Amino acid sequence: MNLPRPEMLSTIDHIGVAVEDIDAALSLYRDTLQMPLIHRETVEAQGVDAALLDIGGSHIELLQPLGPDTTVGKFLARRGSGLHHVAYRVPDIVRALSTLNAAGLRLIDERPRTGIRGSQVAFIHPSSTGGVLTEIVQP
Ligand code: ZN
């Protein structure tokens, strides 16, 4: 299956990392690895306390669940902390979702929802992306 460019995925917007303790994770990423912390936000709609660190124009997104019944909480219980998702930037998320849907990918979100920093985001199920939970983001 071929996806048209360049209106589709333009760059890696961020890598999502699930963590048990965001302050401990910040101590690693901000203090030891010296990535600047550029944003911190509780995203109630996604059930996470999130932090964005800058790395070469892309980001690491640390995600601590707000509770065990959230998506990230369940992920942590099942898999433990670690890589959670890869997020690609798109210029037009509605158009991108429609193209991905037409290409046969299994969408978790049929419509965009609000993510960190007021972005529009949508997730693609890992069963149709080779086991990688995939997010698309329109900043
Ligand atoms: Zn993300």
Side-chain angles (χ1 to χ4, degrees):
M1 114 181 83
N2 293 312
L3 298 174
R5 296 182 69 88
E7 67 272 17
M8 287 295 294
L9 317 181
S10 61
T11 189
I12 293 178
D13 186 86
H14 63 269
I15 306 277
V17 178
V19 302
E20 303 272 3
D21 178 345
I22 200 165
D23 292 312
L26 279 171
S27 154
L28 170 66
Y29 283 89
R30 180 193 54 208
D31 304 335
T32 305
L33 300 177
Q34 301 184 18
M35 297 180 194
L37 172 65
I38 58 166
H39 187 72
R40 184 140 183 202
E41 181 179 342
T42 299
V43 188
E44 297 280 352
Q46 296 194 22
V48 291
D49 188 5
L52 276 181
L53 299 112
D54 186 59
I55 179 69
S58 191
H59 308 98
I60 295 292
E61 180 184 67
L62 302 176
L63 301 165
Q64 178 188 317
L66 296 177
D69 290 335
T70 60
T71 308
V72 177
K74 290 175 189 161
F75 176 92
L76 277 181
R78 211 169 52 240
R79 312 258 300 259
S81 59
L83 289 179
H84 183 258
H85 64 270
V86 176
Y88 300 98
R89 196 174 305 155
V90 297
D92 181 340
I93 195 168
V94 172
R95 189 169 169 193
L97 271 174
S98 143
T99 304
L100 294 172
N101 190 36
L105 298 193
R106 186 175 157 202
L107 308 182
I108 293 174
D109 301 302
E110 304 269 333
R111 279 183 212 91
R113 52 188 159 121
T114 301
I116 195 168
R117 291 197 292 183
S119 57
Q120 293 292 295
V121 306
F123 284 88
I124 317 300
H125 200 279
S127 65
S128 61
T129 49
V132 179
L133 177 60
T134 300
E135 178 184 2
I136 54 174
V137 184
Q138 181 179 332

